[in-house]
């Protein structure tokens, strides 16, 4: 066989097959419905712990959508930081502070009005931004390992904002420790 | 129809087999646990059902199924049902990225129709879905090609595999905490709270330990991390990370004990204080799911430990070519690798059981102290030291520069860094001020710690 008869496929390319596409469409609807329905649950549920569990499923659904978009790092970080970290702390706090475990949350009418106003404004802004900014056809996305580049960008171009956020978190932590300590001293 | 089955990717079959094996072996791990307990306590252990007690897991399973599925009054019905399922689902998902056997490369002879214009697509439609094509060589006959393609011998090959396991395992706490809360029982509730505090504290040193290994190899892909351990130093020492990072391994081992809520960290289900902890109110198969979750969690974390520190599937004779040791053209080699991997995992699980029946349980403040004053600072320093060694010594290491793992001298420097940090931590711990006494005796009026005289007339 001659040299030119040899064909080499692009190595990193996995050829998209019809079942693959159907599966990702199905998964998209699964995750989207999961995220949307549990987001509704977060708003409509009166029980604080149930609200937190609904929020867990919302976050998991969004993480699933990230996975489908090949943003695996973002998906994993979403799970680590929000679902595995922040939400656990929220549940922890709710459980420690609520007097009875079956605490029910009854919002006042003013609170409901303010919440509706804020959500309408944010939703309108998001919809307008999406309609104006994004083309109808998504740009083709090449698969490539993103973590190394992400690290370079975070500790290179965006070093100062990155460090500032760390300092902010440190301030929050020191403040929380101080408040906790002060309360204990007062309680003695 | 047959062709359709042949084209199923290898991960499909691995997923079926691995889930069957893991869930099936959990039953036998429980038997092993009871046997280990009996060896430690100098008694016989279960030996009545079947030869040597081997059918005991079946009997236990039947008992669980036929037990009444009792649900006490006042529980949150939805969450009470959800919690065990959440626990087991999370654990099962996390098994997906374990690299059981490197990469399996096959060559198929593919014949395409004469009149197709896009030969590439025609070839692609005849090999397994998702396969990575390595080369296509035309054969003697017209429109016939020898197609070589490779598939990772694992369920999902993510380039963030390690992070994925950490992310999924960080959700395991929800099963415990929701189950504890939904049971409407103070003991369950306290168990859930303890589990939360325990797991979020020990996740930090766990992640730092994993990060130390990631710093060494520059990748989050578990398969690549295993492949880069599959060679030898000085001819016969296997290049496993446990030899370069013994201290990191020790920290990691402690953390996975805590993550699995196993003794000596099993405060969430401390029988003497909390009846049964978070699963006090559970019975029948719901309880069995919690049990299953605990043991399957041990399998996942032990498998992660094997992949990070014990070279995964690596044993002499199972490696591929030197430039890509994970590659194999034989299915049997891949299966043998998976067996080796699983055997190593069982050894780690045996250590889990050994520890459980040898060590007493920590008090809660000791548990927190160990994490925040011991493990986290040491693992931070370890990661810093590893980064420094890698920064200065790695460019001199031929093997590392070639992207094939850690060479002998680099490994030696890392080992020295580990030893220095171990000695340093021991020296510093002697001059550190003693920890605050959190276990204060609180004076309750009239108790033996209360020295004030009781009011007259009582």
């Amino acid at each position: 066989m001659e040299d030119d008869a040899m064909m080499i496929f692009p190595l990193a390319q996995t050829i998209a097959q019809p079942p693959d596409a159907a599966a990702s469409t199905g998964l998209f609807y699964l995750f989207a419905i999961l995220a949307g329905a549990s987001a509704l649950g977060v708003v409509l549920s009166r029980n604080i712990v149930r609200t937190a569990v609904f929020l867990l499923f919302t976050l998991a659904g969004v993480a699933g959508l990230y996975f489908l978009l090949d943003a695996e790092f973002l998906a994993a970080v979403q799970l680590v930081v929000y679902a595995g970290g922040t939400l656990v702390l929220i549940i922890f706090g709710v459980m420690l502070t609520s007097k009875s475990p079956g605490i029910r949350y009854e919002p006042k009418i003013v609170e409901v009005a303010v919440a509706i106003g804020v959500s309408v404004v944010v939703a309108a802004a998001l919809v307008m931004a999406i309609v104006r900014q994004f083309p109808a056809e998504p740009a083709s996305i090449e698969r490539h390992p993103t973590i190394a580049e992400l690290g370079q960008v975070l500790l290179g171009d965006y070093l100062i904002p990155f460090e500032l956020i760390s300092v902010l978190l440190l301030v929050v932590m020191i403040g929380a420790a101080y408040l906790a300590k002060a309360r204990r001293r007062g309680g003695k | 129809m047959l062709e359709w089955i042949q084209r199923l990717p290898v991960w499909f079959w691995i997923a079926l087999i691995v889930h069957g094996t893991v869930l099936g072996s959990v039953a036998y791990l429980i038997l092993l646990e009871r046997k280990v307990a009996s060896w430690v306590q100098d008694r016989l252990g279960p030996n009545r059902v079947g030869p040597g007690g081997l059918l005991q897991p079946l009997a236990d399973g039947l008992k669980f199924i036929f037990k009444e599925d009792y649900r006490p009054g006042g529980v949150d019905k939805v969450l009470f049902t959800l919690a065990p399922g959440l626990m087991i689902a999370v654990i099962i998902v996390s098994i997906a990225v374990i690299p059981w056997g490197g990469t399996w490369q096959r060559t198929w002879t593919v014949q395409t129709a004469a009149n197709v214009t896009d030969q590439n697509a025609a070839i692609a439609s005849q090999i397994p879905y998702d396969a990575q094509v390595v080369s296509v060589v035309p054969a003697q006959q017209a429109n016939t090609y020898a197609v070589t393609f490779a598939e990772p011998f694992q369920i999902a090959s993510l380039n963030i595999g390690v992070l994925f396991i950490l992310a999924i395992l960080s959700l395991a706490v929800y099963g415990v905490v929701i189950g504890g809360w939904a049971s409407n029982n103070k003991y369950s509730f306290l168990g859930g709270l303890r589990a939360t505090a325990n797991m979020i504290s020990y996740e930090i040193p766990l992640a730092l330990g994993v990060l130390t290994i990631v710093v060494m190899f520059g990748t989050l892909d578990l398969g690549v991390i295993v492949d880069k351990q599959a060679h030898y130093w000085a001819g016969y020492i296997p290049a496993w990370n446990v030899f370069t990072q013994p201290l990191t391994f020790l920290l990691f081992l402690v953390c996975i004990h805590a993550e699995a809520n196993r003794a000596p960290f099993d405060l969430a289900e401390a029988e003497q204080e909390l009846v049964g902890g978070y699963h006090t109110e559970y019975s029948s198969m719901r309880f069995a799911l919690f049990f299953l979750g605990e043991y399957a969690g041990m399998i996942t974390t032990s498998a992660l430990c094997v992949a990070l520190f014990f070279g995964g599937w690596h044993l002499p004779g199972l490696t591929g070519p030197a430039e890509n040791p994970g590659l194999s053209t034989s299915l049997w080699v891949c299966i043998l690798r998976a067996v080796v991997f699983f055997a190593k995992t069982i050894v780690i699980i045996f250590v889990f059981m050994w520890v459980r029946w040898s060590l007493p349980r920590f008090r809660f403040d000791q548990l927190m102290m160990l994490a925040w004053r011991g493990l986290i600072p040491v693992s931070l320093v370890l990661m810093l030291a590893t980064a420094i060694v890698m920064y200065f010594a790695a460019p001199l290491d031929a093997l590392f520069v070639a992207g094939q793992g850690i060479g002998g001298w680099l490994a030696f420097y890392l080992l020295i860094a580990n030893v220095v940090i171990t000695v340093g931590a021991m020296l510093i711990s002697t001059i550190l001020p003693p920890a605050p006494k959190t276990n204060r005796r609180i004076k309750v009026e009239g108790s033996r710690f209360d020295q004030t005289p009781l009011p007259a007339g009582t």
Side-chain angles (χ1 to χ4, degrees):
Chain A
M1 284 291 115
E2 320 314 322
D3 285 350
D4 60 340
M6 174 96 138
M7 296 192 300
I8 306 289
F9 277 71
L11 271 187
Q13 186 188 357
T14 46
I15 301 119
Q17 306 268 351
D20 193 11
S24 23
T25 312
L27 283 176
F28 170 79
Y29 282 111
L30 180 74
F31 286 131
I33 291 170
L34 179 72
S38 23
L40 273 181
V42 173
V43 180
L44 297 178
S45 176
R46 286 273 176 275
N47 182 320
I48 281 194
V49 175
R50 276 202 188 181
T51 307
V53 175
F54 275 125
L55 190 58
L56 168 68
F57 283 105
T58 313
L59 294 170
V62 174
L65 290 179
Y66 288 150
F67 266 115
L68 285 182
L69 290 171
D70 282 342
E72 289 147 355
F73 180 75
L74 191 58
V77 167
Q78 160 104 353
L79 287 180
V80 171
V81 174
Y82 288 110
T86 317
L87 194 56
V88 172
L89 285 180
I90 291 176
I91 291 189
F92 198 57
V94 167
M95 285 185 170
L96 274 181
T97 50
S98 61
K99 286 196 190 83
S100 95
I103 188 168
R104 292 176 65 80
Y105 178 64
E106 303 288 352
K108 298 185 187 92
I109 293 179
V110 185
E111 289 171 343
V112 174
V114 170
I116 288 177
V118 171
S119 350
V120 166
V121 170
V122 172
L126 279 177
V127 168
M128 273 164 65
I130 290 170
V131 168
R132 285 198 187 159
Q133 291 285 323
F134 287 84
E137 284 287 311
S140 69
I141 302 156
E142 284 176 27
R143 275 182 185 227
H144 49 87
T146 52
I147 306 127
E149 291 160 32
L150 206 64
Q152 295 283 354
V153 170
L154 274 184
L155 292 177
D157 298 351
Y158 295 97
L159 179 64
I160 290 176
F162 184 73
E163 292 296 331
L164 278 180
I165 290 174
S166 320
V167 173
L168 178 71
L169 286 178
L170 185 67
V171 169
V172 170
M173 239 160 66
I174 293 173
Y178 178 76
L179 284 178
K181 204 149 193 185
R183 191 200 285 166
R184 199 201 290 164
R185 218 180 286 128
K188 223 183 229 174
Chain B
M1 184 64 194
L2 204 66
E3 191 220 13
W4 176 76
I5 290 176
Q6 267 189 348
R7 286 187 58 209
L8 281 176
V10 65
W11 61 255
F12 178 79
W13 305 111
I14 299 176
L16 285 185
I17 293 168
V18 164
H19 286 164
T21 312
V22 166
L23 296 183
S25 61
V26 162
Y28 278 88
L29 283 182
I30 294 170
L31 179 66
L32 181 66
E33 173 98 65
R34 296 174 65 180
K35 281 285 186 189
V36 170
S38 65
W39 295 333
V40 171
Q41 297 163 354
D42 197 15
R43 54 189 175 84
L44 288 176
N47 64 348
R48 293 288 139 176
V49 192
L54 275 180
L55 297 180
Q56 183 73 40
L58 288 181
D60 286 347
L62 278 178
K63 184 195 76 179
F64 275 130
I65 291 171
F66 286 120
K67 253 181 138 175
E68 185 193 355
D69 184 13
Y70 180 73
R71 191 171 57 200
V75 301
D76 188 321
K77 283 176 193 153
V78 179
L79 296 186
F80 189 77
T81 311
L82 181 73
L86 203 62
M87 179 117 170
I88 192 74
V90 159
I91 300 293
I92 286 177
V93 170
S94 65
I95 293 172
V97 291
I98 301 292
W100 296 103
T103 311
W104 183 28
Q105 185 173 304
R106 285 181 282 175
T107 305
W108 278 5
T109 309
V110 168
Q111 193 166 16
T112 56
N115 54 352
V116 262
T117 48
D118 190 354
Q119 291 285 346
N120 280 12
I123 293 170
S125 69
Q126 291 192 39
I127 60 169
Y129 309 103
D130 294 342
Q132 233 178 41
V133 178
V134 177
S135 72
V136 178
V137 181
Q140 300 293 335
Q141 298 88 6
N143 294 318
T144 309
Y145 304 92
V147 184
T148 307
F149 53 90
E151 287 171 282
F153 206 75
Q154 64 193 77
I155 298 171
S157 171
L158 289 181
N159 59 19
I160 50 144
V162 182
L163 194 60
F164 180 80
I165 290 196
L166 288 182
I168 298 290
L169 282 183
S170 71
L171 302 182
V173 66
Y174 284 105
V176 176
V177 86
I178 292 172
W181 181 82
S183 297
N184 191 26
N185 175 328
K186 283 194 176 59
Y187 294 117
S188 302
F189 182 64
L190 283 173
L193 279 184
R194 284 184 176 188
T196 320
N198 182 355
M199 286 166 103
I200 48 183
S201 300
Y202 280 84
E203 244 163 46
I204 302 167
L206 179 79
L208 284 172
V210 171
L211 207 56
T212 309
I213 303 299
V214 170
V215 164
M216 279 169 66
F217 291 98
T219 176
L220 288 167
D221 191 331
L222 265 182
V224 177
I225 289 178
V226 170
D227 286 358
K228 287 188 175 179
Q229 293 177 62
H231 61 97
Y232 298 91
W233 294 313
Y236 55 91
I237 307 172
W240 299 348
N241 286 331
V242 67
F243 300 122
T244 51
Q245 299 274 11
L247 186 57
T248 315
F249 166 66
L250 200 65
L251 296 181
F252 186 84
L253 196 65
V254 172
C255 292
I256 58 178
H257 274 82
E259 280 292 297
N261 271 322
R262 298 267 309 178
F265 303 103
D266 60 342
L267 283 100
E269 43 186 305
E271 293 90 352
Q272 293 84 349
E273 304 154 27
L274 297 179
V275 192
Y278 58 89
H279 54 58
T280 303
E281 299 289 4
Y282 283 87
S283 63
S284 182
M285 277 316 276
R286 288 185 223 246
F287 171 71
L289 281 182
F290 269 128
F291 222 55
L292 209 65
E294 180 186 332
Y295 282 83
M298 270 163 62
I299 293 182
T300 316
T301 48
S302 305
L304 182 64
C305 184
V306 168
L308 289 176
F309 292 99
F310 288 92
W313 45 262
H314 178 233
L315 262 199
L318 293 178
T319 47
E323 67 277 2
N324 189 0
L327 197 70
S328 173
T329 51
S330 161
L331 176 61
W332 293 109
V333 169
C334 284
I335 291 175
L336 205 59
R337 284 172 173 177
V339 171
V340 167
F341 197 118
F342 198 68
K344 287 180 181 175
T345 308
I346 297 292
V347 172
I348 303 276
I349 290 176
F350 183 79
V351 173
F352 266 92
M353 295 171 176
W354 190 9
V355 166
R356 171 168 178 182
W357 297 103
S358 307
L359 294 180
R361 185 182 297 130
F362 280 117
R363 219 170 48 212
F364 193 72
D365 59 307
Q366 293 169 331
L367 177 91
M368 287 295 139
M369 200 90 77
L370 179 66
W372 292 96
R373 282 174 65 102
L375 298 184
I376 293 178
V378 173
S379 54
L380 268 174
V381 174
L382 254 176
M383 197 183 67
L384 189 68
T386 307
I388 290 172
V389 170
M390 293 305 289
Y391 184 78
F392 287 107
L396 308 174
D397 188 76
L399 210 58
F400 182 83
V401 173
Q404 289 172 10
I406 303 291
W409 280 109
L410 186 51
F412 184 64
Y413 297 144
L414 288 168
L415 182 62
I416 288 192
N418 266 258
V419 171
V420 167
I421 290 169
T422 312
V423 174
M426 282 174 165
L427 287 179
I428 290 174
S429 69
T430 58
I431 57 167
L432 271 183
K437 260 191 159 176
T438 44
N439 199 34
R440 291 185 303 274
R441 285 167 176 164
I442 297 166
K443 287 180 189 169
V444 177
E445 240 174 75
S447 80
R448 65 199 166 97
F449 302 118
D450 184 20
Q451 299 301 321
T452 51
L454 292 177
T458 48

